[in-house]
Each structure stands twice: as C-alpha cells, then as structure tokens.
Amino acid sequence: MQALDRRREHLMSVAARAFAERGFHRTSMRDLSRASKMSLAGMYYYVKSKDDLLFQIQRNCFQQVLEGAAQATASVSQPEERLAAFIRHHVTFFARHMAEMKVLSHEAESLTGGSLDQVRVLKRRHAELCLGLLADLDAKTGGPPVDRNVAAYTLFGMMNWIYTWYDPSGPVGVDALVDAICRLFMNGYTAEGTQR
C-alpha cells in the first residue's frame, strides 16, 4: 500500500473510532486532527469535509462487505453453503471493524443528498444478494418457512448489532460466533440436527 493510501486509511480508521465513541455530530475536524496526529490541511487533502469523511467510511465499508460477500458466495455451490458463506463473511468482517459497524448503524441517516443515495444503493445491493441466497435455498427446500424479507432483515439484525454486546477479545471467538449465528438462523434455537 502506498504511503498516501496508508495515511488515508489511517484517517478513516481514526475517524470511525471517534464517530463510534462520540457520535458524528459531536466530533469536530479538530478532534480528528488531534486523534490522527494529522494537520487540518493534511486531512483536507484526503477529504472535502467531515461529511465527506463519513461518506467515504460508509461507502468503503459497504463496498468491501459487498465485494467480499460476492467472492465468498461464489466459491461454493449449494444454497445452504452459500448462505453460510455470506453469514461467515459478514460477521467476520464486522467483528474486525466494530467501530465502522457502529458508525454504519448509528450514522446511517447523517449523510444527505447524493452521498446518502450512493450508500443506499450499496446497502440495497447487499440486501438483494441476501434475498437471492434465501430464494435459492427456498427453491431447494420447497418454499420459505417465513416471509423472505422478514427472514433477511432478521438475519441482518442478528449480524449487524453484535457491536452492542460482542467483544472480539472475549471468551467467544469469531469462528464460534459465526457458527452460532449460522445455526440459530438456519435451524432455529430448538431445532435438532444440522443445517436444514
């Protein structure tokens, strides 16, 4: 990675942590300058404004999640395996980017105009990928047990809100967390056996 890219990534990482801890609106560019040890002029080389910085964090995060999910699901063929790969990628990615996850959840509507529209397009594409995976699974198993949209957004709720309670350095490792979410979503808490 080139030095300019590293500095930009550093700024985005520091900003994500600051926005997660203090909130977007309560964090100033001067706060970010101190936290990142970059001058204001240096930060403005990479971003136009604080709003642009939030946009870049959200856009880049969703792009990485979407691209990674597409790659993960393309490497397996069975519908159950593809859905499990989607879950595994999503949870693993966000367990490594907890600050970004909180920013995506809490600052979803802090963007406006074209920036908000661009992020919503990426979110919609990600949701459509999940819905497609569920449709493939339904075709194999003979139909959805519940409304597909309800299932998809329930799954996103399970995965996206781990930042409120999950500690990546705690007793439950990421792999164990992923396995638990896969089993709970695909089988239910009381179901016997393995994946449906």
Side-chain angles (χ1 to χ4, degrees):
M1 185 182 286
Q2 295 179 341
L4 289 178
D5 291 335
R6 281 196 299 270
R7 285 176 61 78
R8 179 176 173 275
E9 291 302 317
H10 170 69
L11 173 59
M12 291 177 62
S13 177
V14 168
R17 287 195 302 272
F19 293 160
E21 291 169 8
R22 301 185 60 190
F24 172 71
H25 296 291
R26 290 191 303 274
T27 304
S28 70
M29 288 297 276
R30 290 193 183 280
D31 294 331
L32 297 177
S33 174
R34 284 190 293 274
S36 66
K37 297 184 174 32
M38 295 173 67
S39 68
L40 285 170
M43 291 194 305
Y44 284 118
Y45 178 82
Y46 299 100
V47 296
K48 299 173 191 172
S49 62
K50 189 173 75 162
D51 288 349
D52 183 46
L53 181 52
L54 178 64
F55 165 65
Q56 288 192 40
I57 291 169
Q58 293 197 18
R59 181 194 60 196
N60 290 356
C61 199
F62 275 117
Q63 284 176 335
Q64 290 180 60
V65 169
L66 189 56
E67 290 166 8
Q71 291 173 0
T73 56
S75 65
V76 289
S77 58
Q78 293 301 312
E80 300 94 333
E81 294 172 341
R82 295 185 73 220
L83 182 58
F86 178 87
I87 294 170
R88 180 169 298 283
H89 167 72
H90 191 101
V91 175
T92 301
F93 180 87
F94 279 119
R96 292 180 180 144
H97 299 87
M98 298 287 273
E100 288 84 350
M101 175 182 263
K102 185 172 183 180
V103 170
L104 293 179
S105 297
H106 283 260
E107 306 296 348
E109 301 302 318
S110 293
L111 295 174
T112 58
S115 296
L116 179 59
D117 292 341
Q118 287 185 54
V119 170
R120 283 179 172 167
V121 166
L122 292 170
K123 289 170 78 170
R124 191 162 44 249
R125 286 174 56 200
H126 194 233
E128 287 167 357
L129 175 57
C130 182
L131 287 164
L133 295 172
L134 292 173
D136 292 343
L137 187 56
D138 293 340
K140 179 178 179 180
T141 60
V146 296
D147 179 275
R148 196 174 297 142
N149 283 299
V150 171
Y153 287 101
T154 297
L155 175 58
F156 283 126
M158 291 173 71
M159 298 188 297
N160 291 349
W161 288 86
I162 63 170
Y163 79 85
T164 64
W165 62 269
Y166 179 65
D167 179 1
S169 62
V172 178
V174 174
D175 289 339
L177 176 65
V178 169
D179 290 343
I181 290 175
C182 282
R183 284 197 306 272
L184 285 168
F185 181 75
M186 299 177 77
N187 301 317
Y189 186 71
T190 60
E192 295 180 2
T194 55
Q195 294 175 355
R196 74 175 193 178

